[in-house]
């Protein structure tokens, strides 16, 4: 009988550590994946061309009544921009930045970015990261949150640092350096 009591005590403690809450609506597991998380750092260049024969973004909305004080407020673009290894337009294509960005400030050049970085190269081919955030384009470095991902980046969270490499005021062509850090499974 004395050896039976520790067995019962062990069984109760062990079963409560590994119990699963389950129903038709949800399921929870007591096992955490912290030890399985990976950190990935990416470095690439975003190439945005808003006009010309190689156009990669286009205005899809413009305010009806634009005032002199807010010349760009409300202008919204749809983009399918190239993500390249380097700032040169001939450098290796590693992905596409697909989404929407629009001028969200009446006083400054601030964009609301809603972008998916869809990768087409190496182990990241077919995977994507989702960016949603504020991009104050004239700040030296801008930080935007990574709010999710797919494929290799499933359940990703992290941040993207953007720094303008070059910008042509007349054509609107911009090359932006991105350093992205994400944690994912």
């Amino acid at each position: 009988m004395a050896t039976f009591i520790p067995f019962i005590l062990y069984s109760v403690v062990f079963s409560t550590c590994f119990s699963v809450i389950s129903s038709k609506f949800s399921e929870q597991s007591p096992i955490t994946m912290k030890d399985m998380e990976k950190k990935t750092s990416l470095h690439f260049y975003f190439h945005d061309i808003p006009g010309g024969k190689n156009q990669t973004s286009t205005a899809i909305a413009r305010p009806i009544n634009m005032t002199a004080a807010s010349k760009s407020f409300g202008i919204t673009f749809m983009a399918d921009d190239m993500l390249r290894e380097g700032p040169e337009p001939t450098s290796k294509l590693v992905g596409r930045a697909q989404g929407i960005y629009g001028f969200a400030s009446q006083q400054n050049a601030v964009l609301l970015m809603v972008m998916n970085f869809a990768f087409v190269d190496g182990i990241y081919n077919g995977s994507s990261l989702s960016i949603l955030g504020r991009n104050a384009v004239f700040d030296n470095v801008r930080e935007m949150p990574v709010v999710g991902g797919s494929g290799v980046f499933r359940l990703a969270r992290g941040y993207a640092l953007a720094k303008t490499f070059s910008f042509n005021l007349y054509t609107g062509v911009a090359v932006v350096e991105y350093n992205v850090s994400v944690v994912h499974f």
Side-chain angles (χ1 to χ4, degrees), residues 16-35:
T16 58
C17 289
F18 294 99
S19 64
V20 174
I21 301 169
S22 182
S23 71
K24 289 182 181 181
F25 174 68
S26 68
E27 183 176 310
Q28 292 180 345
S29 173
I31 299 170
T32 64
M33 301 292 199
K34 282 286 187 193
D35 294 333

Side-chain angles (χ1 to χ4, degrees), residues 34 48 65 68 73 85-86 93 100 126 130 142 144 155 178 181:
K34 282 286 187 193
D48 183 54
N65 298 321
F73 177 67
E85 263 187 348
L93 182 72
I100 297 173
S130 297
R142 290 89 66 194
M144 291 166 278
L155 295 174
Y178 271 84
S181 292

Side-chain angles (χ1 to χ4, degrees), residues 110-176:
V110 175
L111 300 173
L112 166 64
M113 304 284 288
V114 182
M115 286 281 168
N116 288 311
F117 291 162
F119 298 100
V120 298
D121 186 56
I123 63 170
Y124 306 119
N125 185 20
S127 299
S128 67
L129 290 172
S130 297
I131 308 293
L132 172 65
R134 181 179 192 270
N135 183 349
V137 296
F138 291 123
D139 286 358
N140 188 35
V141 177
R142 290 89 66 194
E143 181 176 342
M144 291 166 278
V146 173
V147 297
S150 67
V152 171
F153 298 117
R154 189 172 291 133
L155 295 174
R157 62 192 187 284
Y159 62 93
L161 298 176
K163 182 177 184 180
T164 302
F165 179 82
S166 65
F167 176 70
N168 185 314
L169 189 60
Y170 299 105
T171 63
V173 173
V175 176
V176 180

Side-chain angles (χ1 to χ4, degrees), residues 49-61:
I49 306 168
K53 72 175 192 165
N54 296 321
Q55 183 174 4
T56 61
S57 62
T58 188
I60 59 170

